[in-house]
mmCIF file of all heavy atoms in Angstrom:
data_model
loop_
_atom_site.group_PDB
_atom_site.id
_atom_site.type_symbol
_atom_site.label_atom_id
_atom_site.label_comp_id
_atom_site.label_asym_id
_atom_site.label_seq_id
_atom_site.Cartn_x
_atom_site.Cartn_y
_atom_site.Cartn_z
ATOM 1 N N ALA Q 37 -7.990 12.378 -4.324
ATOM 2 C CA ALA Q 37 -8.884 13.381 -3.716
ATOM 3 C C ALA Q 37 -10.056 13.696 -4.636
ATOM 4 O O ALA Q 37 -11.206 13.768 -4.205
ATOM 5 C CB ALA Q 37 -8.092 14.662 -3.406
ATOM 6 N N ARG Q 38 -9.775 13.856 -5.893
ATOM 7 C CA ARG Q 38 -10.863 14.175 -6.831
ATOM 8 C C ARG Q 38 -11.816 12.995 -6.951
ATOM 9 O O ARG Q 38 -13.031 13.174 -7.049
ATOM 10 C CB ARG Q 38 -10.256 14.558 -8.188
ATOM 11 C CG ARG Q 38 -11.189 15.284 -9.108
ATOM 12 C CD ARG Q 38 -11.827 16.517 -8.464
ATOM 13 N NE ARG Q 38 -13.267 16.378 -8.359
ATOM 14 C CZ ARG Q 38 -14.093 17.231 -7.763
ATOM 15 N NH1 ARG Q 38 -13.653 18.324 -7.180
ATOM 16 N NH2 ARG Q 38 -15.375 17.006 -7.694
ATOM 17 N N GLY Q 39 -11.271 11.785 -6.909
ATOM 18 C CA GLY Q 39 -12.120 10.587 -6.965
ATOM 19 C C GLY Q 39 -13.069 10.524 -5.787
ATOM 20 O O GLY Q 39 -14.259 10.206 -5.932
ATOM 21 N N VAL Q 40 -12.567 10.856 -4.603
ATOM 22 C CA VAL Q 40 -13.400 10.848 -3.395
ATOM 23 C C VAL Q 40 -14.487 11.922 -3.507
ATOM 24 O O VAL Q 40 -15.661 11.673 -3.200
ATOM 25 C CB VAL Q 40 -12.508 11.067 -2.149
ATOM 26 C CG1 VAL Q 40 -13.333 11.399 -0.929
ATOM 27 C CG2 VAL Q 40 -11.659 9.831 -1.884
ATOM 28 N N ALA Q 41 -14.125 13.105 -3.974
ATOM 29 C CA ALA Q 41 -15.127 14.177 -4.138
ATOM 30 C C ALA Q 41 -16.169 13.783 -5.174
ATOM 31 O O ALA Q 41 -17.375 13.984 -4.967
ATOM 32 C CB ALA Q 41 -14.436 15.484 -4.546
ATOM 33 N N ASN Q 42 -15.713 13.179 -6.271
ATOM 34 C CA ASN Q 42 -16.653 12.746 -7.316
ATOM 35 C C ASN Q 42 -17.634 11.716 -6.786
ATOM 36 O O ASN Q 42 -18.815 11.743 -7.137
ATOM 37 C CB ASN Q 42 -15.898 12.124 -8.501
ATOM 38 C CG ASN Q 42 -15.317 13.192 -9.406
ATOM 39 O OD1 ASN Q 42 -15.675 14.364 -9.302
ATOM 40 N ND2 ASN Q 42 -14.426 12.793 -10.295
ATOM 41 N N ALA Q 43 -17.139 10.799 -5.953
ATOM 42 C CA ALA Q 43 -18.004 9.729 -5.445
ATOM 43 C C ALA Q 43 -19.143 10.302 -4.609
ATOM 44 O O ALA Q 43 -20.229 9.733 -4.563
ATOM 45 C CB ALA Q 43 -17.171 8.742 -4.630
ATOM 46 N N ILE Q 44 -18.913 11.430 -3.941
ATOM 47 C CA ILE Q 44 -19.953 11.998 -3.063
ATOM 48 C C ILE Q 44 -20.736 13.106 -3.763
ATOM 49 O O ILE Q 44 -21.959 13.161 -3.691
ATOM 50 C CB ILE Q 44 -19.314 12.533 -1.766
ATOM 51 C CG1 ILE Q 44 -18.627 11.386 -1.029
ATOM 52 C CG2 ILE Q 44 -20.379 13.182 -0.857
ATOM 53 C CD1 ILE Q 44 -17.751 11.816 0.108
ATOM 54 N N TYR Q 45 -20.037 13.988 -4.438
ATOM 55 C CA TYR Q 45 -20.693 15.173 -5.014
ATOM 56 C C TYR Q 45 -20.728 15.167 -6.549
ATOM 57 O O TYR Q 45 -21.224 16.126 -7.156
ATOM 58 C CB TYR Q 45 -19.975 16.439 -4.527
ATOM 59 C CG TYR Q 45 -20.132 16.676 -3.034
ATOM 60 C CD1 TYR Q 45 -19.098 16.407 -2.141
ATOM 61 C CD2 TYR Q 45 -21.344 17.151 -2.520
ATOM 62 C CE1 TYR Q 45 -19.250 16.617 -0.772
ATOM 63 C CE2 TYR Q 45 -21.502 17.372 -1.158
ATOM 64 C CZ TYR Q 45 -20.451 17.101 -0.294
ATOM 65 O OH TYR Q 45 -20.613 17.321 1.057
ATOM 66 N N GLY Q 46 -20.210 14.108 -7.173
ATOM 67 C CA GLY Q 46 -20.170 14.070 -8.633
ATOM 68 C C GLY Q 46 -19.317 15.213 -9.165
ATOM 69 O O GLY Q 46 -18.381 15.670 -8.510
ATOM 70 N N ASN Q 47 -19.706 15.713 -10.342
ATOM 71 C CA ASN Q 47 -18.914 16.815 -10.903
ATOM 72 C C ASN Q 47 -19.552 18.160 -10.566
ATOM 73 O O ASN Q 47 -19.358 19.149 -11.241
ATOM 74 C CB ASN Q 47 -18.747 16.644 -12.424
ATOM 75 C CG ASN Q 47 -20.037 16.935 -13.160
ATOM 76 O OD1 ASN Q 47 -21.118 16.857 -12.575
ATOM 77 N ND2 ASN Q 47 -19.935 17.269 -14.434
ATOM 78 N N LYS Q 48 -20.321 18.170 -9.464
ATOM 79 C CA LYS Q 48 -21.053 19.390 -9.114
ATOM 80 C C LYS Q 48 -20.240 20.299 -8.205
ATOM 81 O O LYS Q 48 -19.621 19.851 -7.241
ATOM 82 C CB LYS Q 48 -22.362 19.013 -8.419
ATOM 83 C CG LYS Q 48 -23.311 18.270 -9.354
ATOM 84 C CD LYS Q 48 -24.644 18.050 -8.716
ATOM 85 C CE LYS Q 48 -25.676 17.498 -9.689
ATOM 86 N NZ LYS Q 48 -25.173 16.776 -10.839
ATOM 87 N N ILE Q 49 -20.268 21.580 -8.515
ATOM 88 C CA ILE Q 49 -19.576 22.587 -7.701
ATOM 89 C C ILE Q 49 -20.635 23.545 -7.164
ATOM 90 O O ILE Q 49 -21.443 24.088 -7.920
ATOM 91 C CB ILE Q 49 -18.536 23.357 -8.551
ATOM 92 C CG1 ILE Q 49 -17.523 22.377 -9.187
ATOM 93 C CG2 ILE Q 49 -17.834 24.426 -7.715
ATOM 94 C CD1 ILE Q 49 -16.690 21.568 -8.210
ATOM 95 N N TYR Q 50 -20.618 23.733 -5.860
ATOM 96 C CA TYR Q 50 -21.583 24.641 -5.232
ATOM 97 C C TYR Q 50 -21.051 26.062 -5.229
ATOM 98 O O TYR Q 50 -19.859 26.282 -5.033
ATOM 99 C CB TYR Q 50 -21.844 24.208 -3.786
ATOM 100 C CG TYR Q 50 -22.459 22.845 -3.686
ATOM 101 C CD1 TYR Q 50 -21.795 21.800 -3.048
ATOM 102 C CD2 TYR Q 50 -23.711 22.585 -4.237
ATOM 103 C CE1 TYR Q 50 -22.360 20.539 -2.966
ATOM 104 C CE2 TYR Q 50 -24.275 21.325 -4.165
ATOM 105 C CZ TYR Q 50 -23.599 20.306 -3.521
ATOM 106 O OH TYR Q 50 -24.162 19.071 -3.459
ATOM 107 N N ARG Q 258 -9.577 16.481 1.891
ATOM 108 C CA ARG Q 258 -10.634 15.699 1.228
ATOM 109 C C ARG Q 258 -10.507 14.215 1.591
ATOM 110 O O ARG Q 258 -11.505 13.543 1.823
ATOM 111 C CB ARG Q 258 -10.554 15.912 -0.290
ATOM 112 C CG ARG Q 258 -11.442 15.014 -1.129
ATOM 113 C CD ARG Q 258 -12.924 15.240 -0.891
ATOM 114 N NE ARG Q 258 -13.362 16.549 -1.342
ATOM 115 C CZ ARG Q 258 -14.447 17.184 -0.847
ATOM 116 N NH1 ARG Q 258 -15.189 16.628 0.096
ATOM 117 N NH2 ARG Q 258 -14.786 18.381 -1.290
ATOM 118 N N PRO Q 262 -13.967 12.760 3.782
ATOM 119 C CA PRO Q 262 -14.519 12.759 2.421
ATOM 120 C C PRO Q 262 -15.707 13.690 2.170
ATOM 121 O O PRO Q 262 -15.730 14.383 1.157
ATOM 122 C CB PRO Q 262 -14.872 11.290 2.202
ATOM 123 C CG PRO Q 262 -13.834 10.559 2.996
ATOM 124 C CD PRO Q 262 -13.646 11.393 4.238
ATOM 125 N N ILE Q 284 -10.258 22.950 -7.392
ATOM 126 C CA ILE Q 284 -11.315 21.969 -7.691
ATOM 127 C C ILE Q 284 -10.679 20.651 -8.131
ATOM 128 O O ILE Q 284 -11.075 19.565 -7.693
ATOM 129 C CB ILE Q 284 -12.261 22.521 -8.782
ATOM 130 C CG1 ILE Q 284 -13.083 23.677 -8.202
ATOM 131 C CG2 ILE Q 284 -13.172 21.421 -9.333
ATOM 132 C CD1 ILE Q 284 -13.872 24.467 -9.232
ATOM 133 N N GLY Q 287 -9.731 18.519 -5.342
ATOM 134 C CA GLY Q 287 -10.740 18.010 -4.408
ATOM 135 C C GLY Q 287 -11.692 19.031 -3.818
ATOM 136 O O GLY Q 287 -12.606 18.669 -3.084
ATOM 137 N N ALA Q 288 -11.509 20.329 -4.126
ATOM 138 C CA ALA Q 288 -12.465 21.328 -3.616
ATOM 139 C C ALA Q 288 -13.794 21.186 -4.358
ATOM 140 O O ALA Q 288 -13.834 20.692 -5.491
ATOM 141 C CB ALA Q 288 -11.897 22.739 -3.791
ATOM 142 N N ASN Q 289 -14.889 21.621 -3.712
ATOM 143 C CA ASN Q 289 -16.189 21.502 -4.378
ATOM 144 C C ASN Q 289 -17.085 22.723 -4.131
ATOM 145 O O ASN Q 289 -18.306 22.637 -4.308
ATOM 146 C CB ASN Q 289 -16.919 20.220 -3.938
ATOM 147 C CG ASN Q 289 -17.348 20.253 -2.485
ATOM 148 O OD1 ASN Q 289 -16.697 20.896 -1.665
ATOM 149 N ND2 ASN Q 289 -18.439 19.584 -2.157
ATOM 150 N N VAL Q 290 -16.485 23.834 -3.712
ATOM 151 C CA VAL Q 290 -17.255 25.054 -3.441
ATOM 152 C C VAL Q 290 -16.476 26.258 -3.976
ATOM 153 O O VAL Q 290 -15.250 26.308 -3.849
ATOM 154 C CB VAL Q 290 -17.459 25.245 -1.908
ATOM 155 C CG1 VAL Q 290 -18.152 26.563 -1.611
ATOM 156 C CG2 VAL Q 290 -18.242 24.077 -1.299
ATOM 157 N N ILE Q 328 -15.754 26.965 -14.159
ATOM 158 C CA ILE Q 328 -16.160 25.620 -13.742
ATOM 159 C C ILE Q 328 -16.402 24.739 -14.966
ATOM 160 O O ILE Q 328 -15.938 23.602 -15.043
ATOM 161 C CB ILE Q 328 -17.439 25.702 -12.868
ATOM 162 C CG1 ILE Q 328 -17.123 26.370 -11.522
ATOM 163 C CG2 ILE Q 328 -18.043 24.316 -12.648
ATOM 164 C CD1 ILE Q 328 -18.346 26.674 -10.667
ATOM 165 N N GLY Q 332 -14.728 21.036 -16.988
ATOM 166 C CA GLY Q 332 -15.564 19.833 -17.042
ATOM 167 C C GLY Q 332 -16.468 19.630 -15.842
ATOM 168 O O GLY Q 332 -16.974 18.520 -15.631
ATOM 169 N N TYR Q 333 -16.710 20.688 -15.081
ATOM 170 C CA TYR Q 333 -17.594 20.547 -13.911
ATOM 171 C C TYR Q 333 -18.868 21.356 -14.146
ATOM 172 O O TYR Q 333 -18.977 22.125 -15.105
ATOM 173 C CB TYR Q 333 -16.879 21.006 -12.636
ATOM 174 C CG TYR Q 333 -15.746 20.080 -12.283
ATOM 175 C CD1 TYR Q 333 -14.505 20.207 -12.907
ATOM 176 C CD2 TYR Q 333 -15.923 19.050 -11.376
ATOM 177 C CE1 TYR Q 333 -13.471 19.323 -12.639
ATOM 178 C CE2 TYR Q 333 -14.898 18.167 -11.096
ATOM 179 C CZ TYR Q 333 -13.671 18.309 -11.718
ATOM 180 O OH TYR Q 333 -12.664 17.425 -11.443
ATOM 181 N N GLU Q 334 -19.821 21.157 -13.227
ATOM 182 C CA GLU Q 334 -21.131 21.774 -13.411
ATOM 183 C C GLU Q 334 -21.456 22.612 -12.174
ATOM 184 O O GLU Q 334 -21.294 22.151 -11.036
ATOM 185 C CB GLU Q 334 -22.151 20.627 -13.553
ATOM 186 C CG GLU Q 334 -23.522 21.028 -13.994
ATOM 187 C CD GLU Q 334 -24.501 19.880 -13.761
ATOM 188 O OE1 GLU Q 334 -24.092 18.697 -13.845
ATOM 189 O OE2 GLU Q 334 -25.655 20.177 -13.444
ATOM 190 N N MET Q 335 -21.904 23.829 -12.411
ATOM 191 C CA MET Q 335 -22.269 24.694 -11.275
ATOM 192 C C MET Q 335 -23.687 24.346 -10.835
ATOM 193 O O MET Q 335 -24.592 24.280 -11.662
ATOM 194 C CB MET Q 335 -22.220 26.146 -11.738
ATOM 195 C CG MET Q 335 -22.414 27.127 -10.636
ATOM 196 S SD MET Q 335 -22.245 28.792 -11.273
ATOM 197 C CE MET Q 335 -23.937 29.090 -11.723
ATOM 198 N N VAL Q 336 -23.882 24.122 -9.536
ATOM 199 C CA VAL Q 336 -25.245 23.835 -9.078
ATOM 200 C C VAL Q 336 -25.759 25.010 -8.257
ATOM 201 O O VAL Q 336 -25.004 25.663 -7.533
ATOM 202 C CB VAL Q 336 -25.363 22.541 -8.241
ATOM 203 C CG1 VAL Q 336 -25.557 21.353 -9.132
ATOM 204 C CG2 VAL Q 336 -24.202 22.345 -7.312
ATOM 205 N N LYS Q 343 -23.308 16.478 2.979
ATOM 206 C CA LYS Q 343 -23.960 15.200 2.698
ATOM 207 C C LYS Q 343 -23.434 14.072 3.578
ATOM 208 O O LYS Q 343 -22.811 13.143 3.103
ATOM 209 C CB LYS Q 343 -23.765 14.836 1.226
ATOM 210 C CG LYS Q 343 -24.581 15.702 0.299
ATOM 211 C CD LYS Q 343 -24.633 15.122 -1.079
ATOM 212 C CE LYS Q 343 -25.478 16.020 -1.969
ATOM 213 N NZ LYS Q 343 -25.345 15.714 -3.370
#
Side-chain angles (χ1 to χ4, degrees):
R38 197 53 243 175
V40 166
N42 280 346
I44 299 169
Y45 293 104
N47 73 338
K48 295 187 172 24
I49 303 298
Y50 297 117
R258 171 64 67 204
I284 290 170
N289 68 330
V290 175
I328 292 172
Y333 293 82
E334 191 194 329
M335 187 177 90
V336 273
K343 288 194 179 167

